[in-house]
Amino acid sequence: MTRRGMAALAALITSGISALSLGNALYWYIALLLLCSLVYGFISCLWARKTAFCHQTLSSAAVQRGDKAHLFLRAGHRCPLPVSPLEGEYLYNGALGGCFFPAAPFRTHERRIALNVRHVGQYDAGLSRVLIRDVFGFFQMSLRPEGGASVLTVLPRPFDIDKPRFTLGDDGSAALARTQEDYNAPEDVRSYQPGDAMKRIHWKLSSRRRELVVRRFETPAPPDTLILLDCDTPLGGENVNEGKESLRDALCETAVAVAHLQMEDGSPVRLPIYGARANEFSSDHAASLSLLQEMLACQPFGGGEDFSRVLNLELRRMRRTGATVIITTRLNAQIVEAVSHIRRMGPSARLYLVTYTPDAAEYQPFVARLQHHLVEVCYVTPA
């Protein structure tokens, strides 16, 4: 019962007592009118609640940031008695919204709610409950949809960047030549063909078979592109509206852009995730990009490993890495030292600094030191 219903009930009791005390017919009429209204309100509200239904669907379970997503809500009832319009309460990104459905019975009424997909992440989206009231507003009952809220995944959208450069001579061809010159590790042999180098002939086997055979060596895999993403809480953005969310968007989209550019050419990409949900992405097919987008969208960006420690842990991968891309919102002495060490181990290194203040004075000494070690420094300003 609502506050209005409680007031009507109090008026009914008062009118009944006045009628019994004074014997005035007017009080009897008022009490009877209030009683009929309360009874009608209760019956119609209960009937509508028992026959009410509500459903919800998302236009898509996953959309790229900036695209359109809609929540479709359907509700209705089968009570022939007049009731108030149904009020729906829906939840999205922790905030409640409301909408109304017409009170006409025996029909399914639909509402389309446009959802804000400005930021990367996973968000609960769905109908929280439907409120049913009688025409007088004396009674209120709620109906909750089965299954609860759905989950909308907002994926990072890649953008155009310059292709990371491998270290000179480390594009795979040099490694192939080195492997072919390694006579201690042949993969197989084959018949001699005109143009084969004489030093590749397997003389002992050729004398046994009485024909020339040459060694065939295993073709090496192309070098990896290693993407190291700072999955800790983004630094900065406190004075910008939705600054933290925009920094997270820029981190994810920069990583996706680098991976997409490399996998388009069939280059293998590895991206270890040292966040609250530890994981690792590894692929050389552009079709796998959606998996990386979903992995980054599910990452809460907080509570992970210290990024300078992550860089030191990944030094073990540098022997098979051709290019290293570091993406972070913070730049300090520990990170600069770790990135410089990566560069000294051989692979090319590019650092993307995601910040609202690329010209800040505190960054200049660190940037100069990185450039001194031939590390390419790029700035990304969140949209």
Side-chain angles (χ1 to χ4, degrees):
M1 183 177 288
T2 64
R3 291 183 178 180
R4 183 181 296 182
M6 296 294 293
L9 181 60
L12 170 62
I13 295 173
T14 302
S15 299
I17 294 175
S18 300
L20 291 173
S21 302
L22 303 175
N24 192 329
L26 177 61
Y27 291 108
W28 285 111
Y29 292 140
I30 295 175
L32 181 61
L33 180 62
L34 289 172
L35 178 61
C36 292
S37 300
L38 286 168
V39 171
Y40 174 84
F42 178 76
I43 293 174
S44 61
C45 187
L46 181 61
W47 194 342
R49 168 62 180 82
K50 292 296 184 181
T51 60
F53 56 89
C54 59
H55 308 285
Q56 59 185 4
T57 54
L58 281 171
S59 59
S60 177
V63 295
Q64 287 194 354
R65 188 175 75 93
D67 288 346
K68 294 182 179 180
H70 294 90
L71 176 65
F72 294 95
L73 308 178
R74 300 174 182 87
H77 67 90
R78 299 182 180 88
C79 173
L81 301 177
V83 294
S84 295
L86 308 183
E87 181 182 356
E89 293 182 353
Y90 61 90
L91 178 72
Y92 178 65
N93 193 17
L96 279 174
C99 61
F100 289 90
F101 301 91
F106 307 106
R107 295 182 183 178
T108 300
H109 306 284
E110 183 176 292
R111 288 290 179 267
R112 184 177 67 174
I113 310 298
L115 301 178
N116 174 10
V117 290
R118 290 203 304 266
H119 299 296
V120 174
Q122 283 190 317
Y123 306 100
D124 291 332
L127 197 60
S128 176
R129 62 176 180 170
V130 174
L131 299 178
I132 304 165
R133 302 184 182 92
D134 61 284
V135 291
F136 304 112
F138 293 158
F139 297 92
Q140 174 181 292
M141 299 181 184
S142 63
L143 174 66
R144 298 186 181 276
E146 297 181 359
S150 303
V151 177
L152 175 65
T153 303
V154 182
L155 305 175
R157 178 188 295 274
F159 56 91
D160 295 333
I161 63 169
D162 294 331
K163 187 176 179 64
R165 295 189 297 271
F166 289 99
T167 303
L168 185 62
D170 198 15
D171 60 352
S173 58
L176 175 60
R178 288 194 301 269
T179 305
Q180 290 175 341
E181 297 297 331
D182 183 9
Y183 303 115
N184 296 319
E187 182 188 30
D188 200 357
V189 294
R190 60 172 174 81
S191 299
Y192 174 82
Q193 296 178 358
D196 287 335
M198 296 296 292
K199 58 185 176 182
R200 295 181 61 189
I201 296 177
H202 197 307
W203 293 106
K204 290 185 179 180
L205 188 59
S206 296
S207 63
R208 271 200 308 269
R209 292 188 179 183
R210 295 186 178 181
E211 64 172 341
L212 290 177
V213 293
V214 296
R215 297 179 179 89
R216 188 172 61 186
F217 299 90
E218 181 180 358
T219 303
D224 295 340
T225 299
L226 180 62
I227 303 174
L228 299 177
L229 178 63
D230 187 353
C231 294
D232 205 349
T233 305
L235 180 65
E238 290 82 5
N239 300 323
V240 180
N241 185 30
E242 299 182 347
K244 295 288 185 182
E245 292 82 358
S246 297
L247 286 170
R248 175 186 174 178
D249 297 341
L251 285 167
C252 295
E253 292 181 349
T254 304
V256 170
V258 174
H260 180 246
L261 190 64
Q262 295 298 92
M263 290 190 297
E264 273 189 332
D265 298 337
S267 300
V269 171
R270 285 179 292 124
L271 196 162
I273 299 177
Y274 287 86
R277 298 180 183 178
N279 209 332
E280 179 164 341
F281 173 80
S282 178
S283 178
D284 58 358
H285 301 291
S288 304
L289 186 67
S290 58
L291 175 60
L292 175 60
Q293 290 174 302
E294 186 172 351
M295 289 170 61
L296 294 178
C298 298
Q299 191 59 226
F301 279 79
E305 292 280 354
D306 181 73
F307 192 52
S308 59
R309 184 170 183 270
V310 170
L311 297 175
N312 289 319
L313 287 173
E314 290 300 317
L315 288 173
R316 55 189 170 84
R317 300 181 188 250
M318 294 305 134
R319 291 184 179 274
R320 50 178 178 168
T321 298
T324 306
V325 178
I326 301 99
I327 308 170
T328 181
T329 59
R330 66 197 83 238
L331 194 60
N332 52 41
Q334 292 78 15
I335 291 177
V336 169
E337 179 61 31
V339 174
S340 302
H341 196 180
I342 289 174
R343 183 65 186 90
R344 285 195 294 268
M345 293 192 68
S348 64
R350 176 186 292 180
L351 184 140
Y352 284 99
L353 181 60
V354 181
T355 177
Y356 285 102
T357 56
D359 299 327
E362 63 265 23
Y363 293 146
Q364 302 310 313
F366 299 132
V367 171
R369 185 175 172 187
L370 288 172
Q371 292 175 339
H372 176 73
H373 288 90
L374 302 181
V375 176
E376 186 180 2
V377 180
C378 303
Y379 298 96
V380 178
T381 302

